[in-house]
Amino acid sequence: GAGVSQTPSNKVTEKGKYVELRCDPISGHTALYWYRQSLGQGPEFLIYFQGTGAADDSGLPNDRFFAVRPEGSVSTLKIQRTERGDSAVYLCASSPSGGGGGELFFGEGSRLTVL
Amino acid sequence: RKEVEQDPGPFNVPEGATVAFNCTYSNSASQSFFWYRQDCRKEPKLLMSVYSSGNEDGRFTAQLNRASQYISLLIRDSKLSDSATYLCVVINPLTYKYIFGTGTRLKVLA
């Protein structure tokens, strides 16, 4: 289908390693969001892109987290020096336009486990 | 105070029951509100938008109370298939980020 695609679906890594998570949004969607969800919690906002620029990155927990969207389509969430507390499901969502109150379409998520 | 707050539940109700959830928000300037549904180990999906005048979609009714800063979701004639987590979502009016509540778990029992 033409939904939001996230890779990898599962990633197990060791503490201290570097991880990249990829999100391929629905074609034509200008807004892209990253969330992190831990068990029993709602999705926690990380960062939101409008086109190529980060419109709001206030949810990134610290400078180990970084995200890019160089061509306004695919986005990569990068986590340096991973810690056990980074273990969660990382969800990506896209929307036809940001700020318009449109529906968010989510990918199936990338489950990150840091040992 | 959290921007969006929900009772995490769980709400265990028999089939056919009517159940209601509330969600409070802290930013009085917020204009856009939604309910999303999330099944176990799946991604969230839009259930319905919440309009100022309230809206209904089959067995589901959503309402907004601006004075008290809360939104509600009412489910009538509950089905087993309604068992899920219901997430309240509010759009921050300055940055347009979508803020999710912790979700309310519903379990409909046979």
Side-chain angles (χ1 to χ4, degrees):
Chain A
V4 177
S5 175
Q6 291 189 246
T7 55
S9 54
N10 272 288
K11 175 72 177 178
V12 180
T13 191
E14 293 180 343
K15 180 173 177 291
K17 300 289 188 185
Y18 170 80
V19 165
E20 286 190 355
L21 306 175
R22 175 189 165 108
C23 173
D24 200 342
I26 292 173
S27 178
H29 281 194
T30 59
L32 185 147
Y33 300 78
W34 282 101
Y35 289 85
R36 175 169 73 173
Q37 187 171 28
S38 301
L39 196 62
Q41 301 295 313
E44 174 194 5
F45 173 81
L46 296 177
I47 186 169
Y48 148 48
F49 289 91
Q50 183 64 258
T52 60
D56 186 335
D57 64 357
S58 62
L60 294 177
N62 51 59
D63 61 6
R64 296 186 298 104
F65 288 74
F66 190 70
V68 295
R69 195 186 186 199
E71 297 176 359
S73 178
V74 171
S75 176
T76 305
L77 178 66
K78 308 180 181 195
I79 311 174
Q80 298 178 318
R81 303 183 306 280
T82 51
E83 299 177 357
R84 292 196 179 88
D86 298 336
S87 297
V89 176
Y90 288 80
L91 292 165
C92 175
S94 69
S95 183
S97 63
E103 180 176 354
L104 291 185
F105 294 85
F106 282 87
E108 293 184 347
S110 292
R111 182 176 298 278
L112 175 65
T113 303
V114 182
L115 301 177
Chain B
R1 183 184 172 189
K2 284 186 179 178
E3 290 185 82
V4 179
E5 293 201 68
Q6 294 182 252
D7 180 344
F11 284 62
N12 295 322
V13 302
E15 263 187 299
T18 295
V19 62
F21 313 131
N22 281 346
C23 164
T24 58
Y25 60 94
S26 61
N27 191 331
S28 60
S30 299
Q31 297 291 324
S32 300
F33 311 88
F34 307 88
W35 285 101
Y36 276 68
R37 171 188 167 133
Q38 186 172 27
D39 292 301
C40 190
R41 300 181 80 87
K42 297 285 190 182
E43 71 275 21
K45 293 184 179 177
L46 178 66
L47 178 66
M48 58 198 307
S49 302
V50 185
Y51 304 123
S52 296
S53 55
N55 53 308
E56 188 172 314
D57 183 2
R59 298 181 293 107
F60 298 81
T61 300
Q63 292 196 313
L64 167 64
N65 184 316
R66 286 196 185 276
S68 300
Q69 291 181 213
Y70 74 85
I71 65 172
S72 64
L73 177 68
L74 180 81
I75 305 175
R76 289 181 298 277
D77 188 24
S78 299
K79 311 291 184 192
L80 294 176
S81 57
D82 294 335
S83 297
T85 295
Y86 291 85
L87 296 159
C88 169
V89 184
V90 178
I91 296 183
N92 180 292
L94 291 178
T95 66
Y96 301 115
K97 67 183 179 186
Y98 289 59
I99 305 163
F100 284 74
T102 55
T104 298
R105 274 185 59 203
L106 171 67
K107 190 167 183 180
V108 181
L109 307 169

